């Protein structure tokens, strides 16, 4: 095993022995993923699932290369997961009853796999901490999507089902030339008939992996190419919002990324942040594009209320251009911006001047932090952030973990595993550790494992004595599903919390209803004075199979 430890400041090395509090953010490399971790999702306190293409990964199962794996956070090892259909470039989400689904995929390169394009793979909650007895269920003949979908997106919505958006039917070298311009749901709605989308039609040919975000009133924000809409699932209507400014396009193969910023009581005002991508024309043939074309450094942010939409997008600049960045919500309300490259595009071996097989070049190796509450121009910083030596460009995955640090894996701008090239396949797993990982942290000693909407509940906590508790944040999070520079279903809803005088209990109020936090599994993190606890997995809502009824009380989103 190759181990490397990269510490942000040389001082931290010296100080490490005497004062853990002096440590900053750090990258720690530990373990290898066995398969390319191009899709990543946390499924239990100790496990994450990785999916890749059915090709030639080193991890084996049943005498052939595996394309699914369970990553064990305790041992930092990957074990193979038996998968029937090809998961390559699919997506996934949790349902309201705690079951995870993986959907979409590819025509397999490896004959051990079946066509995964209309695949639905079911992973029921699994209590086995090691994952040894955890299995994926598939029945391709009887359980599948209505359409074949490669490069499709997902979002868990207000009734606990999963909306499945767009994609392409067949292999494409680059642009979406054989589109699936429709939405469908799991479990199916409308007797399984997909809903056509004028938005997906308009946003061709750069509309793969549409950035799809469930809003707190139950509608869905969608961004594809440089266009934006709000889709109303109940009325089946699309409302056009302003384009992303300055011709910047943010979906595959011009990947930028998008996230719903943390929602806070009492108003839960939704704001979207979109960063990176490319301002190249989407009419240039792929062979005339270059790996050296600068990516966009633009972030665009909009408040998603009638007044906010009237004001439109507010533009700010990343510290560097990034194609294929990913944004991770942190339990203290900040946003980590990581991964990606300064130049080029997503996808493999399609532009005119490849570097190895990569369409992108000049990996960005230093993450940034975005502070949503800071004034414009002062929100983005990489002060104190470490620099890694491992590229994370196309086919990388990243997620917040139950421990509160960030797992980063993958990178494969090649169509299968290729080791002996520039921008080679990457198996090394890294953690990006926030400073609090080496400090005394708050602990959640006890809390309900299931919470209803609009209720008060109690958390028993242990708060280190050195913390004054001048800020108390209780974050309810969906850790989302990472695929192709987008973290679908990722969400953070802050809950009002009052600390008892003896600092041993918190009285917490759950989100008002199932539109503010789509019902299903979540993780609760407690942050005291910027020091975050480990996450506690809970069920939010009635825990029933979708579609579930509205729960809690309505609120007017302003
Ligand atoms: C690539 O390298 C990994 C180890 O880093 C090895 O396990 C695998 O067999 C190699 N695969 C190929 C196709 O060379
Ligand atoms: C890597 O992970 C293993 C298993 O958790 C642990 O024992 C080891 O200390 C870790 N190494 C580093 C450098 O963190
Ligand atoms: C896995 O399942 C087997 C057979 O049902 C059982 O004997 C074993 O205890 C289980 N292991 C774990 C870690 O749950
Ligand atoms: C969005 O892209 C279209 C098609 O390339 C272009 O006509 C339009 O001007 C762009 N919008 C903005 C705001 O740049
Ligand atoms: C396109 O993006 C590049 C790189 O960020 C920038 O230099 C250029 O000015 C942008 N062009 C337009 C028309 O906005
Ligand atoms: C959750 O619901 C889905 C869809 O109805 C079903 O396939 C799955 O088995 C259910 N999970 C559990 C744990 O009952």
């Amino acid at each position: 095993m190759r181990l490397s430890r990269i510490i942000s400041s040389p001082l931290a090395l010296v100080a490490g022995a005497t004062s853990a509090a002096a440590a900053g953010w750090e990258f720690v490399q530990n373990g290898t993923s066995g398969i390319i971790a191009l899709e990543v999702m946390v499924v239990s306190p100790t496990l994450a699932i990785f999916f890749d293409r059915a090709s030639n990964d080193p991890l084996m199962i049943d005498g052939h290369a595996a394309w699914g794996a369970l990553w064990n956070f305790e041992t930092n090892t990957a074990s193979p997961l038996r998968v029937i259909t090809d998961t390559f470039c699919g997506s996934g989400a949790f349902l309201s009853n705690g079951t995870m689904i993986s959907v979409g995929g590819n025509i397999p390169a490896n004959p051990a796999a079946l066509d995964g394009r209309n695949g639905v793979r079911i992973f029921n909650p699994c209590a086995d901490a090691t994952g040894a007895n955890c299995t994926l269920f598939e029945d391709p003949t009887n359980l599948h999507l209505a359409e074949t979908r490669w490069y499709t997106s997902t979002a868990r919505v207000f009734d606990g089902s999963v909306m499945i958006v767009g994609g392409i039917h067949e292999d494409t070298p680059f642009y979406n030339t054989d589109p699936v311009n429709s939405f469908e749901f799991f479990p199916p709605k409308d007797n399984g008939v997909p809903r056509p989308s004028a938005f997906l039609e308009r946003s061709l040919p750069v509309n793969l992996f549409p950035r799809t975000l469930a809003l707190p009133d139950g509608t869905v924000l969608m961004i594809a190419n440089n266009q934006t809409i709000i889709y109303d699932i109940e009325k089946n209507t699309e409302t056009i919002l302003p384009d992303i400014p300055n011709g910047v396009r943010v979906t595959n193969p011009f990947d930028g990324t998008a996230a719903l910023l943390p929602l806070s009581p009492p108003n839960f005002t939704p704001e979207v942040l979109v960063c990176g991508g490319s301002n190249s024309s989407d009419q240039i043939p792929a062979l005339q594009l270059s790996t050296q074309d600068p990516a966009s450094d633009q972030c665009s942010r909009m408040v998603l209320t009638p007044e906010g939409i009237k004001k439109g997008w507010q533009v700010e600049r990343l510290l560097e251009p990034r194609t294929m960045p990913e944004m991770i919500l942190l339990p203290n309300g900040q946003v980590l911006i990581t991964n990606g490259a300064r130049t080029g595009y997503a996808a493999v071996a399609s532009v005119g001047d490849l570097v190895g097989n990569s369409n992108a070049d000049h990996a960005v190796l230093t993450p940034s932090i975005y502070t949503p509450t800071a004034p414009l121009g002062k929100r983005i910083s990489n002060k104190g952030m470490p620099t890694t030596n491992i590229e994370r460009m196309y086919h990388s995955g990243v997620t917040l973990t139950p421990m509160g640090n960030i797992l980063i894996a993958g990178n494969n701008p090649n169509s299968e595993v290729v080791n002996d090239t520039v921008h080679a396949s990457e198996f090394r797993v890294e953690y990006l550790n926030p400073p609090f990982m080496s400090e005394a942290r708050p602990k959640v000693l006890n809390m309900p494992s299931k919470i209803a909407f609009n209720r008060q509940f109690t958390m028993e906590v242990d708060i280190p004595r050195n913390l004054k508790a001048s800020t108390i944040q209780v974050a309810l999070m969906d850790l989302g599903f990472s695929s192709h520079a987008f973290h679908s279903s990722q969400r953070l809803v802050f809950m009002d919390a009052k600390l008892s005088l003896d600092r041993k209990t918190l009285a917490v109020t759950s989100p008002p209803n199932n539109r503010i936090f789509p019902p299903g599994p979540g993780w609760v993190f407690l942050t005291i004075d910027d020091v975050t606890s480990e996450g506690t997995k809970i069920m939010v809502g009635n825990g029933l199979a979708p579609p579930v009824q509205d729960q809690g009380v309505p609120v007017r989103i302003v």
Side-chain angles (χ1 to χ4, degrees):
M1 195 192 298
R2 214 163 127 193
L3 289 178
S4 59
R5 205 176 167 84
I6 304 143
I7 293 179
S8 58
S9 128
L11 273 179
L13 267 175
V14 180
T18 48
S19 160
W25 287 80
E26 61 174 4
F27 275 112
V28 176
Q29 197 274 313
N30 201 339
T32 54
S33 54
I35 64 169
I36 300 294
L38 68 84
E39 293 163 48
V40 174
M41 186 182 221
V42 172
V43 290
S44 82
T46 53
L47 299 170
I49 285 185
F50 296 159
F51 288 125
D52 186 24
R53 179 178 214 179
S55 62
N56 63 338
D57 288 290
L59 192 67
M60 301 289 286
I61 188 168
D62 302 333
H64 60 75
W67 58 93
L70 283 169
W71 177 257
N72 185 323
F73 295 122
E74 291 178 328
T75 60
N76 290 313
T77 53
S79 52
L81 185 64
R82 189 166 288 112
V83 191
I84 296 173
T85 61
D86 190 354
T87 45
F88 190 42
C89 308
S91 198
F94 284 96
L95 303 171
S96 51
N97 64 357
T99 288
M100 192 275 268
I101 61 163
S102 147
V103 296
N106 191 214
I107 305 169
N110 183 327
L114 299 181
D115 189 343
R117 290 174 300 157
N118 62 2
V120 174
R121 309 164 197 94
I122 307 269
F123 186 85
N124 282 324
C126 182
D128 173 2
T130 71
N133 283 352
C134 302
T135 55
L136 201 63
F137 172 78
E138 280 182 274
D139 178 4
T141 315
N142 300 307
L143 181 67
H144 55 79
L145 299 178
E147 288 273 8
T148 54
R149 293 177 190 270
W150 194 35
Y151 285 78
T152 191
S153 290
T154 48
R156 179 163 90 243
V157 299
F158 66 91
D159 68 1
S161 37
V162 173
M163 181 171 183
I164 301 155
V165 179
I168 179 165
H169 293 288
E170 302 285 348
D171 263 39
T172 175
F174 196 66
Y175 291 122
N176 191 354
T177 48
D178 186 8
V180 194
N181 288 333
S182 65
F183 315 137
E184 62 179 287
F185 296 85
F186 187 85
K189 298 189 192 300
D190 319 315
N191 298 313
V193 180
R195 302 179 178 188
S197 168
F199 163 69
L200 290 174
E201 196 75 43
R202 273 199 317 276
S203 54
L204 290 170
V206 177
N207 72 359
L208 294 168
F209 282 111
R211 285 25 180 160
T212 303
L213 302 163
L215 296 179
D217 65 355
T219 61
V220 176
L221 182 81
M222 290 187 203
I223 304 168
N225 201 328
N226 65 345
Q227 299 178 33
T228 311
I229 61 159
I230 289 178
Y231 177 66
D232 188 320
I233 295 172
E234 290 152 293
K235 299 188 183 132
N236 191 17
T237 54
E238 298 184 350
T239 304
I240 296 178
L241 269 50
D243 285 355
I244 306 276
N246 305 316
V248 173
R249 307 173 202 285
V250 298
T251 37
N252 185 275
F254 289 17
D255 295 35
T257 193
L260 188 68
L261 294 175
L263 299 170
S264 299
N267 293 332
F268 303 97
T269 309
E271 281 191 80
V272 64
L273 178 68
V274 183
C275 291
S278 169
N279 67 3
S280 296
S281 159
D282 57 6
Q283 301 303 314
I284 304 175
L287 279 172
Q288 288 171 31
L289 295 171
S290 164
T291 52
Q292 307 307 308
D293 290 346
S296 175
D297 62 358
Q298 180 172 300
C299 288
S300 315
R301 174 169 162 176
M302 187 159 56
V303 178
L304 298 164
T305 56
E307 196 179 310
I309 293 166
K310 209 183 291 167
K311 280 193 191 139
W313 295 97
Q314 185 178 58
V315 168
E316 45 205 316
R317 300 276 156 210
L318 291 168
L319 303 179
E320 62 283 292
R322 284 193 200 235
T323 177
M324 300 174 278
E326 201 164 329
M327 293 195 289
I328 299 296
L329 302 177
L330 301 177
N332 69 353
Q334 290 182 308
V335 183
L336 177 79
I337 302 172
T338 185
N339 296 10
R342 299 178 76 101
T343 64
Y345 303 89
V348 170
S350 26
V351 305
D353 59 343
L354 303 178
V355 179
N357 298 307
S358 178
N359 288 341
D361 201 11
H362 310 291
V364 186
L365 301 172
T366 310
S368 291
I369 293 279
Y370 182 94
T371 306
T373 50
L376 182 67
K378 297 217 156 36
R379 294 175 184 154
I380 305 173
S381 165
N382 62 10
K383 191 165 170 277
M385 296 306 282
T387 297
T388 177
N389 57 3
I390 305 179
E391 300 183 340
R392 306 291 182 181
M393 308 195 298
Y394 199 45
H395 291 155
S396 298
V398 48
T399 185
L400 183 70
T401 75
M403 298 85 75
N405 58 359
I406 295 97
L407 175 143
I408 305 182
N411 184 49
N412 193 23
N414 301 283
S415 58
E416 55 171 16
V417 173
V418 181
N419 289 331
D420 53 359
T421 184
V422 56
H423 305 314
S425 305
E426 182 58 64
F427 295 96
R428 285 172 291 171
V429 173
E430 278 174 299
Y431 292 96
L432 176 58
N433 287 338
F436 59 70
M437 291 300 283
S438 51
E439 295 173 18
R441 299 167 67 184
K443 287 195 186 78
V444 176
L445 303 176
N446 196 17
M447 68 170 290
S449 59
K450 185 171 168 183
I451 58 173
F453 291 99
N454 197 42
R455 291 287 159 76
Q456 262 217 0
F457 64 93
T458 302
M459 286 169 64
E460 287 172 32
V461 297
D462 174 37
I463 298 174
R465 282 163 66 174
N466 65 311
L467 299 178
K468 290 204 178 80
S470 32
T471 63
I472 300 167
Q473 295 167 296
V474 183
L476 172 61
M477 299 188 70
D478 185 321
L479 303 185
F481 185 102
S482 169
S483 181
H484 290 76
F486 179 55
H487 218 83
S488 53
S489 298
Q490 174 176 228
R491 201 177 200 77
L492 192 166
V493 177
F494 282 119
M495 300 188 284
D496 273 330
K498 198 168 183 312
L499 187 62
S500 63
L501 280 175
D502 66 4
R503 307 195 347 155
K504 287 185 175 157
T505 57
L506 277 167
V508 185
T509 308
S510 69
N513 63 54
N514 56 299
R515 292 173 182 243
I516 289 164
F517 189 88
W523 294 83
V524 174
F525 290 89
L526 169 63
T527 303
I528 305 276
D529 300 346
D530 241 16
V531 179
T532 298
S533 71
E534 296 197 346
T536 304
K537 191 169 194 233
I538 61 161
M539 172 57 77
V540 187
N542 61 20
L544 298 178
V548 297
Q549 289 186 332
D550 274 333
Q551 296 157 55
V553 292
V555 290
R556 208 173 128 251
I557 305 294
V558 288

